[in-house]
Amino acid sequence: MRNIDRGVIRTCLRSARPLFASHRVPVGTKRLMVETVTAAARPPRGTRFERDTVAGVPVVRVRPAHTTGGTLIYLHGGGYALGSAKGYRGLVAHLAAAAGTAAVIPDYSRSPESRYPIALEEMVAVYSRLLDDGLDPNTTVVAGDSAGGGLTLALAMTLRDRGFPAPAALGLICPWADLAIDVDRTRPVLRDPLILPSMTAEWAPRYAGHHDPRSPGISPVYGDMAGLPPIVVHTAGDDPISVDAEKIEAAVAAAGGVLDHLRFDDLWHDFHLQVSILAEARQAVTDLGAALRRHVLKIHPDTAQVAST
């Protein structure tokens, strides 16, 4: 893999900001733009992909060349409006390879066509069906970035409240988990080259619809963190959404939970998506996969000797 200077990547992201921030660019065009950006993450050689449907939700199954057992369920980012399983195949393939697992990427319904709680209920249905099909929660991790990170946390709370067996761990990359401050337009401005608070202020009410944006299903920072699986969080210093992770960390600590928070200074929101061209992203993905794997092995130590099917 070749490395590109982070300054060059930062400049490219900044040049795309006017289009992402424009109210005149239709959501369909923005989805194509995100597809292009996320597809820059090239999967490791030997990775196999398969389209499938689980509980009525389209998914992409990812099978790295070498696995040691277990499953990663990955919920993609994109402000609940953008992003796709296809676009995220490369990043998820790298993360799954680092974790030693196979992966499932659901294509949950997006706003503005579908609003809360549709995506959350779809993810509950996917998890439930996978359990029925033989998924072992003790060798399963759920991860996501940005909106997918917030959805991951909301899903874990919902599974707990409905009595489902919990996954072994959660992985949150730059989680967007407090949409209420975006509805209120109080998110701080930082140095991120792409993400502006005006963007999240546009996306948040489209997803929340007529529901209270402080509902834990929408903004899990306001939910009960007790009894959740161990959480691994990655944040970027220039990302205005990083304040959400600080709230998650405080809430988990207050609830007596387990959370590891790795902060990356001078980097931007979802820099992990540049895994194929940025050394820091490649290391971060490797570290996250290894951390998730360690949590699986604490519960199911013999998984290291089991080949994924």
Side-chain angles (χ1 to χ4, degrees), residues 89-267:
R89 297 189 316 169
L91 171 61
V92 177
H94 281 279
L95 182 58
T101 67
V104 177
I105 319 171
D107 252 328
Y108 58 83
S109 297
R110 300 172 295 187
S111 68
E113 298 91 340
S114 300
R115 303 177 187 271
Y116 174 81
I118 292 174
L120 177 57
E121 293 298 339
E122 287 177 341
M123 295 307 92
V124 173
V126 167
Y127 188 84
S128 176
R129 178 61 58 81
L130 290 173
L131 289 176
D132 290 343
D133 292 343
L135 180 79
D136 181 359
N138 290 330
T139 62
T140 298
V141 295
V142 183
D145 66 289
S146 195
L151 186 57
T152 294
L153 190 54
L155 172 62
M157 292 177 175
T158 304
L159 295 175
R160 175 201 61 199
D161 294 346
R162 297 185 187 180
F164 286 95
L170 308 177
L172 311 180
I173 299 173
C174 302
W176 187 32
D178 187 357
L179 279 65
I181 64 171
D182 297 299
V183 172
D184 295 340
R185 294 182 176 270
T186 57
R187 185 172 295 280
V189 178
L190 297 182
R191 295 180 56 251
D192 197 278
L194 181 61
I195 300 298
L196 293 170
S198 60
M199 296 178 186
T200 51
E202 177 185 357
W203 299 331
R206 288 183 178 177
Y207 177 67
H210 65 275
H211 296 277
D212 181 356
R214 286 173 175 76
S215 165
I218 297 172
S219 298
V221 296
Y222 300 105
D224 179 8
M225 302 287 179
L228 294 180
I231 302 172
V232 183
V233 181
H234 283 193
T235 56
D238 292 349
D239 178 12
I241 297 178
S242 63
V243 298
D244 296 16
E246 303 293 339
K247 298 174 184 177
I248 295 170
E249 184 174 16
V252 170
V258 175
L259 183 145
D260 298 322
H261 187 174
L262 192 57
R263 300 169 177 83
F264 296 84
D265 294 334
D266 302 320
L267 286 168

Side-chain angles (χ1 to χ4, degrees), residues 52-64:
D52 196 2
T53 301
V54 178
V57 178
V59 305
V60 171
R61 294 186 181 271
V62 183
R63 300 188 185 278

